[in-house]
Amino acid sequence: MKRKNNFTGIIVLVVLVAIAGGFGFVYLSPQFEQNKPEIKFEEKEYWNLKDSLKISIDDNSGIKHYKVIYKDDNNERVLEDKILDELKNSIDLEIKPPKLDMFFKGENVSIILEATDRSKWNFFEGNSIRKEYRIKIDKKIPVANVIGNSFAIRHGGSALVIVEVHDENLKDAYISFNDEERFDLIPFYKENFYIALIAWPVTIEEFKRVNLIAIDKANNKTITKVPLYIRALKVKNDNIKLSEKFVKDISVNVLQKSGLDVPSTVEEIFVKENRILRKMNTDVLKEITRKFMNKDKIDSFSIKPFKRLEGSKTVAGYADRRHYYFNDEKIDQAWHLGMDWASIKNASIKATNSGKVIFNDYLGIYGNTIVIDHKLGLQSLYAHTSKSHVMAGEEVRANTKIANTGSTGAVFGDHLHFGVLVQGIEVNPLEWMDKDWIKTRITDVIIDAKKVINSK
């Protein structure tokens, strides 16, 4: 009897071990993995029913089936339903929007995503997941109208644009030049109206198109052309012979003060300073001015014509095309983007217009530089200074002494490089030194636009 009981116990133990082993195999085997597929969906708060939905599904055991369903309050439609014949651990889907009939009228809809993997878990049915995402349908494009603008724009010059933009789900609105440069809009006068100075950068030869672009949260986009006549720019070409002494004394110093390595040859040193560092410096100007320019609502705008440095002579103009030679070989070229005025050494520099100092620091080829913001995205720049009398963040009044001329940066001698910037892009200062130009291109446009707005 005892022997029989021992045998029965062994049988029970073997069965239990077998069952445990079976369960262990099921739990530990990759074929019976229990992880549900992972669904990644580019979640949208709004959908325009034009753009495709981007979905990715991942699973270690492979994806067996997926389904995408569009559903409103009363109806639903399957957008895609597929069983995969071949093993895929990851798939990326672009689901096209449905062509809906009259019965689908909901503005608040659901996108339902279902996926099943190839695991043998769940009685060989696999692991399944179902996710539902709520989306608001918005098919209406933003309103984007041009209310007024300057008659024309010159290569290297400025223009003013006043627009009307509104959409209950507006995400972004701006002015685009050739799809290459963006100019932010500033609130103007009344709700839904905006104003912006724009520039035709002298570095962009061809004028293609200036657009007002408005985009809502559903990615509906309105593109409205800004009607502008264009004017050519008279370019003055200068051939400049470089000496080894200038490059080693000036260019090397500018590179070192800017934290850049100095190449071994004279040609490489100058090109690095004139091309690479120049690009870095102009990028800083654009970044700083667009970050710190005043974007408060504007009802009107008044600016005095900028004045030349007192008692000075113009030694270089805007858009001079400089060609640099070393040992009679051309090694580089660059645009000169301001006015160079020379007077006595350490001459006093005064601000023509009031504004806020948004930059006061060493800036590579520009040397010690001050930038003053005058609102409306307009800034004035004072470079190569020897001494500063203002600080960043300080409000300055017209006719305030802000600095003294000097020879800091990449220069041959003491002078002031004066520049005018539109949202960080240097434009032709001569326009902003001309009283009639300011009146006809800026002030009158604002007055006329307000009349149009008031008549709405």
Side-chain angles (χ1 to χ4, degrees):
M1 186 70 178
K2 185 177 181 180
R3 190 173 179 181
K4 185 177 179 181
N5 288 339
N6 288 339
F7 180 76
T8 301
I10 292 171
I11 294 298
V12 171
L13 181 61
V14 169
V15 171
L16 291 174
V17 169
I19 293 172
F23 275 108
F25 173 77
V26 169
Y27 274 100
L28 299 176
S29 171
Q31 299 178 42
F32 289 88
E33 62 92 11
Q34 303 166 51
N35 297 320
K36 295 179 180 181
E38 182 180 355
I39 293 176
K40 294 179 181 178
F41 176 55
E42 183 187 17
E43 291 192 57
K44 302 171 180 283
E45 183 182 359
Y46 299 91
W47 189 23
N48 58 17
L49 283 179
K50 297 176 185 177
D51 299 333
S52 297
L53 298 175
K54 295 181 180 179
I55 303 165
S56 65
I57 307 174
D58 297 283
D59 190 273
N60 291 333
S61 65
I63 302 153
K64 180 169 64 176
H65 169 255
Y66 68 85
K67 182 187 284 189
V68 183
I69 301 169
Y70 177 97
K71 179 183 178 182
D72 66 14
D73 294 334
N74 302 307
N75 302 277
E76 70 176 47
R77 174 174 294 179
V78 175
L79 302 184
E80 194 156 336
D81 187 358
K82 190 170 184 179
I83 297 174
L84 278 66
D85 296 326
E86 54 185 284
L87 177 65
K88 287 188 177 181
N89 298 106
S90 179
I91 55 174
D92 293 314
L93 308 173
E94 282 202 18
I95 307 298
K96 293 182 179 180
K99 295 181 179 179
L100 302 175
D101 55 37
M102 60 183 293
F103 299 104
F104 288 83
K105 296 181 178 180
E107 294 184 357
N108 296 295
V109 305
S110 293
I111 301 298
I112 301 169
L113 308 176
E114 298 177 356
T116 304
D117 66 16
R118 293 179 178 274
S119 170
K120 292 183 171 57
W121 185 250
N122 192 27
F123 299 101
F124 298 92
E125 292 294 325
N127 302 292
S128 294
I129 189 171
R130 175 187 169 95
K131 285 190 172 184
E132 183 172 344
Y133 301 90
R134 298 290 289 175
I135 298 180
K136 297 176 183 178
I137 301 301
D138 179 4
K139 298 188 289 182
K140 187 178 180 180
I141 64 173
V143 172
N145 300 317
V146 177
I147 300 300
N149 57 271
S150 304
F151 177 75
I153 188 170
R154 187 176 298 278
H155 187 197
S158 314
L160 185 72
V161 183
I162 298 171
V163 301
E164 175 188 17
V165 178
H166 59 87
D167 186 285
E168 61 181 6
N169 301 318
L170 188 67
K171 181 174 70 174
D172 195 13
Y174 58 95
I175 304 292
S176 167
F177 183 92
N178 281 13
D179 292 327
E180 295 181 57
E181 290 288 351
R182 172 194 170 111
F183 297 93
D184 291 339
L185 299 175
I186 297 170
F188 173 69
Y189 193 44
K190 292 184 178 181
E191 187 178 6
N192 299 325
F193 294 95
Y194 301 87
I195 189 170
L197 283 173
I198 65 170
W200 178 356
V202 74
T203 53
I204 299 178
E205 295 289 342
E206 183 182 2
F207 178 98
K208 295 179 182 177
R209 182 171 168 139
V210 172
N211 289 321
L212 164 63
I213 298 176
I215 307 169
D216 68 16
K217 294 176 182 178
N219 205 35
N220 296 301
K221 180 187 289 188
T222 303
I223 300 176
T224 305
K225 180 181 178 181
V226 178
L228 287 165
Y229 287 91
I230 62 173
R231 299 287 184 262
L233 172 69
K234 186 176 180 180
V235 176
K236 178 175 176 285
N237 287 285
D238 285 335
N239 295 329
I240 298 175
K241 292 184 178 181
L242 299 168
S243 67
E244 185 173 349
K245 178 176 173 36
F246 174 84
V247 174
K248 289 188 174 180
D249 289 350
I250 304 300
S251 298
V252 168
N253 179 56
V254 170
L255 288 174
Q256 289 175 337
K257 289 191 71 171
S258 301
L260 298 180
D261 294 334
V262 178
S264 57
T265 69
V266 171
E267 294 89 342
E268 289 174 330
I269 292 170
F270 181 77
V271 169
K272 186 169 186 177
E273 172 241 298
N274 190 59
R275 189 180 304 174
I276 297 174
L277 182 57
R278 182 184 296 274
K279 174 67 165 55
M280 291 171 60
N281 297 156
T282 55
D283 286 347
V284 167
L285 284 175
K286 186 183 293 187
E287 178 185 355
I288 292 295
T289 51
R290 295 193 178 190
K291 181 178 180 180
F292 294 108
M293 74 181 197
N294 190 312
K295 295 182 181 179
D296 293 342
K297 181 183 174 184
I298 288 177
D299 290 321
S300 60
F301 183 71
S302 177
I303 196 88
K304 297 176 182 177
F306 287 98
K307 297 178 182 177
R308 189 174 69 181
L309 179 69
E310 188 175 348
S312 69
K313 291 184 178 180
T314 300
V315 293
Y318 179 83
D320 287 356
R321 191 63 167 154
R322 291 176 169 177
H323 306 268
Y324 297 96
Y325 290 82
F326 181 70
N327 289 338
D328 295 326
E329 287 189 15
K330 183 177 176 179
I331 60 172
D332 207 10
Q333 60 187 26
W335 289 100
H336 183 250
L337 299 178
M339 305 295 294
D340 283 355
W341 294 323
S343 178
I344 60 173
K345 192 173 182 180
N346 297 328
S348 295
I349 303 170
K350 294 181 180 180
T352 302
N353 289 284
S354 60
K356 183 178 182 178
V357 179
I358 59 172
F359 184 85
N360 187 356
D361 206 346
Y362 183 83
L363 188 63
I365 64 169
Y366 292 88
N368 298 331
T369 303
I370 296 171
V371 177
I372 299 176
D373 181 65
H374 304 286
K375 299 185 179 180
L376 194 58
L378 181 72
Q379 299 90 29
S380 55
L381 176 147
Y382 309 83
H384 310 310
T385 64
S386 59
K387 185 177 181 180
S388 171
H389 302 285
V390 293
M391 297 184 297
E394 181 179 343
E395 297 280 352
V396 297
R397 293 184 178 181
N399 209 37
T400 299
K401 182 178 178 180
I402 59 172
N404 292 90
T405 62
S407 55
T408 57
V411 294
F412 291 96
D414 186 295
H415 72 278
L416 169 65
H417 172 98
F418 173 75
V420 174
L421 303 97
V422 168
Q423 295 198 22
I425 296 174
E426 286 198 73
V427 295
N428 196 337
L430 292 177
E431 293 180 340
W432 294 95
M433 297 172 68
D434 184 336
K435 181 180 179 180
D436 290 336
W437 184 92
I438 293 173
K439 180 181 183 301
T440 57
R441 302 319 199 271
I442 308 298
T443 310
D444 287 352
V445 176
I446 291 175
I447 293 171
D448 291 342
K450 290 169 77 171
K451 292 178 182 177
V452 173
I453 294 169
N454 287 331
S455 68
K456 283 182 168 287

